[in-house]
Amino acid sequence: MSLSDSDFSSHGSDYRNFRQISRERLLHEMLRSTKTGDSKSTWKVLIMDKVTVKVMSYSCKMADITEEGVSLVEDLFRRRQPLPSMDAIYFIQPSKENVVMFLSDMSGRVPLYKKAFVFFSSPVSKDLVNHIKCDTSVLPRIGALREMNLEYFAIDSQGFITDSERALEELFGENVENSRMYDACLNTMATRISTVFASLRELPYVHYRAAKCLDSSTVTPFRDLVPTKLAAGVWNCLTKYKTSVPNFPQTETCELLILDRSVDQIAPVIHEWTYDAMCHDLLNMDGNKYVHEVPSKTGGPPEKKEVLLEDHDPIWLELRHAHIADASERLHEKMTNFISKNKAAQIHQGSRDGSELSTRDLQKMVQALPQYSEQIDKLSLHVEIAGKINKIIREQGLRELGQLEQEIVFGEAGTKEVINFLRTKQDTSPENKLRLLMIYAALNPEKFEGDKGSKLMQLARLSSDDMNVVSNMKLLEGFSDSKQHSTGRFHLKFDMQKKSNAARKERTGEEQQQWALSRFYPMIEELIEKLSKGELPKNEYSCMNDPSPTVHGSTQSGSSIRSNNVQGAHSMRSRRTATWARPRSSDDGYSSDSVLRHASSDFKKMGQRIFVFIVGGATRSELRVCHKLTAKLGREIVLGSSSLDDPPEFITKLKMLTVQELSIDNIRI
């Protein structure tokens, strides 16, 4: 089993970001490598399972795949038409079920395909390899049998998920100590995280949040050990890669920090005021898919049209991390400048005013129409979206709520202000009131002891399910939930010594905030900066492969895990606006395509990468911070997580932590 000898490390002069490398490996190292001998010019079938098809779709478009000679994409487990004159490429997980299905396709006198090129998404066991070798009818028909070691989902140019949607429930829910899903979830996550480093040919220092409850007199809860166990699993996989993957580094080349959701329980629920976050929080989008109405070309009722808000849209790429007020202003400027500069738009505007058009005007309009139509469609879409968001902000009174959220986070508001808001703003939606109380509980757990929490929840008129969400927040801290169920009272008790429960401090040395409600920052921003400087406190963070082992219980909170200078890291004192946030000369609404052209050049001469993995779901604010710090630190920051959650999704998952399974007594026959 071996990979192609081509080295996809990015330490050369031509820097490629995380998703570019993932895409190139799939298209070039996998698909293009099958163009050999008599297979060089023939079209092929690409067969994938339910996991690998998602891996592929996050990194590549169908046009990319077709360009590499694939004419048909098939599902491994669906009934398929025999194509004995065509070769097949199998990109599959190395499971027994998948191997059995592959062998049934290719064995016997008449196989489904002429030849098979097999690529596994993660390391395959010797037993499965031997199982394949035992079928003598299949062996001559195999053109390649390799481990791609690429089983992650590149959701962003600097972000990936392991698609572990039930990680919160399986790792932090009730009775996880007795659950078989606990180890299975961690093992899958560790395998998929490791394939990121196999793809990029990187060997990281594996840092992780140390267990908070290390006490020789008590058993450390499984929930508290999640980062420790995951770090051990990742390191175990990486150790094997050092001997099995060609060109895999033998010494550390980057940093990995493994965290869980306990490091910041506010980021998943606070209102984040950037264009990207507001779209996903307020517009009921399906992933990155936005549905809007467009005028019918036949004069009938409006038609529904789906658009993807992704990197290929230059306006989205330019505005996604901008404050919604800034995005709205810039969109208005783009539209105004577009109409003033574009002849066809002026004519179109003039016709609306009722003035007659000359033949010459009509001719100009027809000539300009194709480009004009494309430009105005892009711009109009975002003007519509921003308008919808601003309308929801007004209707739901989100500015006042957002102001209170941020004041709580920075210690400027407390119980009095929360109670006053709940009493005077009773028309606030239950979800927004719940989010407010979750933020308050994360910072003031003592206010939810005994009957105090119940009274606050009753004042907010929230249901018992909503009360459970706030109560379940303590499970993410690693503690037992037995008290709540034994007494029947609402109970919330976090680790009272936990530093992150203190109110956030204003960021010093940052640019002056131009927009209201943009003070909030996720905790990972501080952690990444400390990691970059080698200043992570030893008593809170350990390292799997640090040459100087640390003791979890060290009292030297200021001492760092590793203080060596990181090769190639740039100065962290730069206060310039990140290139992705800086307005570009794109007033016409179209030349913002320049963002795409500049994106790769911004990454040249980078220092060593930093990877941060959050178990239990990452947020869009945390992804934004990784882009921001990439420019500030001169190092590509890649965010990984079990999933990327918007506030409603996170709250639903938190509810699931204490959902009781039906017993036989509950079932009526």
Side-chain angles (χ1 to χ4, degrees), residues 399-433:
R399 282 196 178 88
E400 189 175 345
L401 173 62
Q403 186 66 39
L404 178 56
E405 287 176 347
Q406 305 231 353
E407 286 172 356
I408 292 171
V409 167
F410 289 99
E412 298 162 3
T415 310
K416 179 182 175 183
E417 289 79 8
V418 171
I419 290 174
N420 184 55
F421 181 88
L422 294 175
R423 281 179 175 161
T424 58
K425 304 290 181 183
Q426 294 187 7
D427 57 343
T428 302
S429 70
E431 182 194 309
N432 283 335
K433 286 189 283 191

Side-chain angles (χ1 to χ4, degrees), residues 139-178:
L139 276 179
R141 297 165 183 160
I142 296 178
L145 191 64
R146 298 182 189 170
E147 292 171 342
M148 275 300 291
N149 291 320
L150 201 161
E151 198 174 292
Y152 53 86
F153 309 86
I155 57 168
D156 184 84
S157 59
Q158 289 171 238
F160 71 93
I161 57 172
T162 58
D163 204 30
S164 312
E165 287 290 338
R166 298 184 65 180
L168 267 187
E169 180 187 348
E170 292 172 355
L171 300 177
F172 297 94
E174 290 185 306
N175 302 316
V176 290
E177 289 83 353
N178 304 317

Side-chain angles (χ1 to χ4, degrees), residues 410 504-513 519 521 525-526 529 533 572-575 628-629 632:
F410 289 99
R504 250 160 255 228
K505 296 176 182 176
E506 294 281 3
R507 301 280 287 161
T508 56
E510 293 287 312
E511 291 181 65
Q512 186 176 0
Q513 299 292 352
R519 295 161 64 197
Y521 61 91
E525 185 168 350
E526 281 190 355
E529 289 187 331
K533 292 185 284 187
M572 290 173 289
R573 295 195 178 94
S574 170
R575 297 184 187 177
K628 170 187 171 182
L629 290 180
K632 181 179 178 181

Side-chain angles (χ1 to χ4, degrees), residues 377-532:
D377 281 351
K378 283 183 181 180
L379 203 45
S380 297
L381 168 69
H382 289 283
V383 169
E384 175 193 315
I385 292 173
K388 272 190 181 180
I389 290 171
N390 285 313
K391 183 182 178 185
I392 293 170
I393 290 170
R394 287 192 301 272
E395 290 174 349
Q396 296 188 8
L398 292 184
R399 282 196 178 88
E400 189 175 345
L401 173 62
Q403 186 66 39
L404 178 56
E405 287 176 347
Q406 305 231 353
E407 286 172 356
I408 292 171
V409 167
F410 289 99
E412 298 162 3
T415 310
K416 179 182 175 183
E417 289 79 8
V418 171
I419 290 174
N420 184 55
F421 181 88
L422 294 175
R423 281 179 175 161
T424 58
K425 304 290 181 183
Q426 294 187 7
D427 57 343
T428 302
S429 70
E431 182 194 309
N432 283 335
K433 286 189 283 191
L434 174 59
R435 287 166 68 170
L436 177 67
L437 286 177
M438 289 174 74
I439 293 166
Y440 186 57
L443 293 165
N444 304 279
E446 72 283 356
K447 302 293 186 183
F448 286 76
E449 284 299 305
D451 293 334
K452 295 178 187 175
S454 297
K455 288 177 180 177
L456 273 174
M457 302 298 275
Q458 286 164 11
L459 177 62
R461 298 180 181 179
L462 296 179
S463 67
S464 57
D465 276 354
D466 291 334
M467 291 173 71
N468 283 338
V469 171
V470 182
S471 181
N472 287 350
M473 291 170 70
K474 69 178 169 294
L475 291 175
L476 300 188
E477 297 290 331
F479 299 108
S480 165
D481 196 41
S482 57
K483 287 186 180 180
Q484 177 190 350
H485 293 284
S486 61
T487 64
R489 296 169 68 196
F490 184 74
H491 180 86
L492 183 68
K493 187 170 184 177
F494 293 115
D495 177 5
M496 300 303 292
Q497 296 178 345
K498 189 171 183 292
K499 291 183 180 179
S500 62
N501 281 343
R504 250 160 255 228
K505 296 176 182 176
E506 294 281 3
R507 301 280 287 161
T508 56
E510 293 287 312
E511 291 181 65
Q512 186 176 0
Q513 299 292 352
Q514 182 182 356
W515 304 101
L517 304 171
S518 58
R519 295 161 64 197
F520 174 79
Y521 61 91
M523 291 306 296
I524 70 162
E525 185 168 350
E526 281 190 355
L527 292 174
I528 292 169
E529 289 187 331
K530 285 181 180 178
L531 176 62
S532 185

Side-chain angles (χ1 to χ4, degrees), residues 344 347-348 357 360-370:
I347 294 167
H348 190 65
L357 299 175
R360 184 173 173 79
D361 285 338
L362 284 169
Q363 185 182 16
K364 285 181 181 177
M365 188 169 86
V366 171
Q367 289 171 346
L369 199 57

